[in-house]
Amino acid sequence: MAEIIVVTSGKGGVGKTTTSASIASGLARRGKKVAVIDFDVGLRNLDLIMGCERRVVYDFVNVIQGEASLKQAMIKDKRTEGLYVLAASQTRDKDALTKEGVERVLNELQDDEFDFIVCDSPAGIEKGAFLAMYFADKAVVVVNPEVSSVRDSDRILGLLASKTRAAEQGKRVGEYLLLTRYSPKRVEAGEMLSIADVEEVLGLKTIGVIPESTDVLNASNKGEPVILDAESPAGQAYDDAVARILGEDRPMRFTQVEKKGLFSKLFGG
């Protein structure tokens, strides 16, 4: 039975799609069969970050409305075995998504023996975001360590606790915090909330801390999930997060200011 993971947040521009692409890629690289679905009808960014935008013929809405089969719409990733992308529509209205249609697509993926289904949610609390989270078993809540992002994500947690299928069944969605654009230097200077600050406000355990890095933008511009860049601290941090999702115990990296060694101090390195 596939585990459904929604990647969500209350605020736009925090790195949800980057996170969805990297988590899906990371799971597939560990031998899992993974589908990643873009729920952001009207905007559609996931296929750009996955580098498959030119291969989109049919999209999520086409499948829901019976205009194409799921197999016709799913795009097999060229880099990672076992990874498939279902793009959003750029031309339809968000009301084109229906609960019944989404459930049918998810059930078909379950029947096709996928291990994980990653749902890339739009920001906020509109219909696409509600449907992305409704069927979730787990939620990765993506937050920038600043007050407005944390406040908006707190509202999302309220919806996860009350407006999901799990909530209707008296269960809870497993909730995890993923901090993006984290800068230990700015935290030390009092310009950014610390990991402990955000955990205290949201009451969540941190699954990953992604350092502020130009590598993320560079990877997106190349159409590659940043997790594929093994030399990048951001890529390594996403790999750690995926390992923790699968139950591995890994130390949290890139959360402290790097102390300069004696040689660096002497020669300004």
Side-chain angles (χ1 to χ4, degrees):
M1 189 95 171
E3 186 167 72
I4 301 171
I5 301 174
V6 62
V7 178
T8 184
S9 77
K11 194 171 185 287
V14 297
K16 282 185 306 302
T17 301
T18 294
T19 297
S20 297
S22 284
I23 286 177
S25 297
L27 290 168
R29 290 173 77 202
R30 285 168 169 76
K32 308 297 182 184
K33 188 177 181 182
V34 184
V36 56
I37 305 175
D38 190 347
F39 276 76
D40 203 354
V41 174
L43 290 178
R44 200 173 95 184
N45 287 314
L46 178 65
D47 54 304
L48 292 170
I49 288 179
M50 296 297 295
C52 62
E53 69 277 8
R54 293 177 183 168
R55 297 166 60 202
V56 177
V57 178
Y58 295 111
D59 57 50
F60 193 15
V61 172
N62 292 139
V63 178
I64 283 178
Q65 297 194 343
E67 298 160 353
S69 70
L70 183 58
K71 282 186 168 56
Q72 284 177 291
M74 295 286 281
I75 300 170
K76 189 177 189 300
D77 188 77
K78 289 181 177 178
R79 291 170 297 244
T80 308
E81 186 67 28
L83 178 59
Y84 297 81
V85 180
L86 183 55
S89 171
Q90 279 185 308
T91 57
R92 305 295 183 95
D93 187 82
K94 295 185 190 299
D95 289 333
L97 295 182
T98 64
K99 187 190 288 188
E100 296 73 24
V102 171
E103 184 172 25
R104 178 168 49 80
V105 170
L106 295 177
N107 286 342
E108 194 172 336
L109 290 170
Q110 302 265 20
D111 293 341
D112 207 12
E113 298 184 343
F114 277 83
D115 298 304
F116 290 93
I117 303 167
V118 178
C119 301
D120 180 25
S121 172
I125 56 173
E126 44 79 19
K127 189 174 185 180
F130 165 72
L131 290 173
M133 74 171 66
Y134 180 76
F135 297 99
D137 301 304
K138 289 181 178 176
V140 175
V141 183
V142 183
V143 181
N144 288 161
E146 47 96 14
V147 173
S148 64
S149 178
V150 173
R151 181 193 61 213
D152 290 347
S153 293
D154 202 22
R155 192 174 185 189
I156 292 296
L157 293 178
L159 295 175
L160 287 167
S162 60
K163 293 280 191 178
T164 57
R165 181 172 63 179
E168 292 171 0
Q169 296 171 348
K171 303 172 186 175
R172 282 193 69 88
V173 174
E175 299 163 345
Y176 303 97
L177 171 66
L178 188 133
L179 283 173
T180 53
R181 296 182 187 147
Y182 192 80
S183 169
K185 283 185 179 178
R186 292 182 63 196
V187 171
E188 199 172 75
E191 299 170 356
M192 181 178 277
L193 297 174
S194 69
I195 299 168
D197 291 335
V198 180
E199 286 183 334
E200 184 178 352
V201 172
L202 296 180
L204 292 185
K205 181 174 175 54
T206 303
I207 199 80
V209 177
I210 313 303
E212 198 166 37
S213 170
T214 57
D215 295 334
V216 175
L217 181 60
N218 292 339
S220 296
N221 288 338
K222 289 191 292 184
E224 289 185 2
V226 71
I227 196 171
L228 300 182
D229 184 356
E231 302 300 314
S232 163
Q236 294 169 30
Y238 271 119
D239 191 66
D240 289 345
V242 170
R244 295 186 195 102
I245 287 171
L246 292 174
E248 292 181 36
D249 187 17
R250 287 199 181 183
M252 204 69 75
R253 297 189 281 173
F254 316 114
T255 61
Q256 305 293 325
V257 177
E258 285 189 25
K259 303 299 182 186
K260 286 189 176 182
L262 179 60
F263 188 86
S264 297
K265 289 176 180 175
L266 288 174
F267 295 99

